[in-house]
Amino acid sequence: MPLNSFQREDGDGFVVCLGGHRHWGRFGAAGLLLTDPERGVLLQRRAWWTHHGSTWALPGGALRSGETPWQAATREAEEETAIPAHAVRPIASSVVDHGNWSYTTVLATVRHTVSERVTNAESEELRWVAPEQVVDFPLHKDFAKAWPELHDQLGRELVLVVDGANVVGTRPDGWWRDRAGAAAGLRDRLAGLVRAGVPGEEFDMDGAWSWWPRVVLVVEGQARHVEPTEQVEVVSAPRDGDSAIVEAVRALRADRPDDHVAVVTADRALRGRVTTEGASILGPATLLNRLDAV
């Protein structure tokens, strides 16, 4: 929304939730918790006249009808900070559900250096703050309540390491006639998963969270020449796929030890090996069912 412009949208308005509290957003609301590894997290000081004015929280606002929380959070952030949606990458989201009203915090990171500025009357100031210093600010009460859990997940990603041969071989759809084509098809479907995100509850994680995963597809044999895409990393096993998967998990854990790393495979021996490396396990059916839904 431009400075001093107050065009009313269909999501604007207050809702009294089932707990008797008054919240902004007829269809719920969303905020963007944006992280820059060099500068910290972006906080917004709300204008004095707004709901809970002069407190610090996140850029965000009411969802419009038919809008996803990610769309709302990035749209509002762009309207309030001039940071465009294409400059940020979503990592996870957390929902606080009040029954007939919910608030979604979208955790994201910058794709490159961004320049922020106050662009409408709802903000008084924007500031990058080191995560450990956030509690020193006079925070919006709901953001203050949510911050400890948000802080715990800050910068952590869900990484899916996919045993390509094992997953492709789960369904008897003729994959053996063109193993490389089947692996490329799986890669392309995984790209859709990266864009759409996954519910935590379906992937043995906290049901209040959803994730836009990082995907590493491990291929072998006749599928070794499958190329990576912007959304899906591809590891071509020089020998056996199992060893390449173990090595990939080991490297991921060493590089980013706080990430959630899950290996998708039904191979019992491989499951034991990657569990020792600190990864969790998902069955191919869990992944394929989510791909079907996407």
Side-chain angles (χ1 to χ4, degrees):
M1 183 185 301
L3 187 65
N4 297 324
S5 175
F6 295 96
Q7 179 181 352
R8 188 174 181 84
E9 302 293 345
D10 65 353
D12 291 347
F14 284 100
V15 172
V16 177
C17 73
L18 298 181
H21 303 290
R22 193 165 175 254
H23 304 281
W24 179 253
R26 294 177 55 234
F27 308 114
L32 185 70
L33 178 51
L34 183 61
T35 303
D36 182 326
E38 302 297 325
R39 296 189 286 176
V41 298
L42 183 63
L43 296 186
Q44 172 200 63
R45 183 155 62 96
R46 303 162 67 87
W48 65 268
W49 55 267
T50 63
H51 198 217
H52 298 286
S54 296
T55 61
W56 290 82
L58 305 177
L63 273 70
R64 297 172 182 172
S65 59
E67 197 172 40
T68 68
W70 162 246
Q71 292 169 334
T74 51
R75 172 184 53 76
E76 288 280 346
E78 184 165 2
E79 291 174 1
E80 297 171 1
T81 72
I83 298 175
H86 63 75
V88 305
R89 178 172 65 87
I91 294 174
S93 66
S94 174
V95 180
V96 177
D97 192 349
H98 291 242
N100 59 330
W101 185 89
S102 63
Y103 185 91
T104 302
T105 303
V106 177
L107 284 69
T109 187
V110 295
R111 295 184 184 274
H112 51 74
T113 301
V114 296
S115 298
E116 74 289 343
R117 58 186 174 86
V118 173
T119 55
N120 69 13
E122 296 176 17
S123 304
E124 292 182 349
E125 183 181 354
L126 298 168
R127 190 182 303 183
W128 293 96
V129 178
E132 61 273 14
Q133 295 176 353
V134 168
V135 294
D136 297 333
F137 286 70
L139 303 178
H140 183 292
K141 64 179 183 65
D142 293 331
F143 179 53
K145 184 177 180 180
W147 175 247
E149 183 178 4
L150 295 173
H151 189 191
D152 184 59
Q153 295 293 346
L154 206 62
R156 303 175 74 180
E157 298 192 49
L158 170 61
V159 186
L160 299 179
V161 181
V162 181
D163 182 351
N166 189 271
V167 172
V168 165
T170 300
R171 291 180 173 174
D173 55 6
W175 56 265
W176 52 87
R177 291 191 290 269
D178 182 4
R179 297 171 188 266
L186 175 61
R187 175 204 60 195
D188 295 343
R189 297 184 72 197
L190 289 168
L193 192 75
V194 173
R195 291 188 292 266
V198 299
E201 59 189 2
E202 292 186 16
F203 282 63
D204 296 329
M205 303 179 75
D206 188 335
W209 286 80
S210 294
W211 300 84
W212 285 270
R214 173 185 172 188
V215 174
V216 179
L217 173 64
V218 180
V219 294
E220 58 182 300
Q222 296 176 20
R224 280 180 52 199
H225 300 295
V226 169
E227 295 291 332
T229 65
E230 182 180 354
Q231 294 85 15
V232 179
E233 302 167 46
V234 176
V235 173
S236 296
R239 300 180 302 278
D240 66 290
D242 288 8
S243 295
I245 290 169
V246 173
E247 291 173 8
V249 169
R250 187 175 295 142
L252 289 165
R253 297 287 296 155
D255 184 47
R256 293 174 54 89
D258 291 332
D259 281 352
H260 308 283
V261 179
V263 175
V264 185
T265 186
D267 187 303
R268 290 186 179 181
L270 178 58
R271 287 182 170 212
R273 293 174 67 186
V274 297
T275 300
T276 301
E277 298 293 337
S280 60
I281 301 297
L282 288 172
T286 299
L287 176 64
L288 291 170
N289 288 340
R290 173 44 46 182
L291 291 177
D292 290 344
V294 170

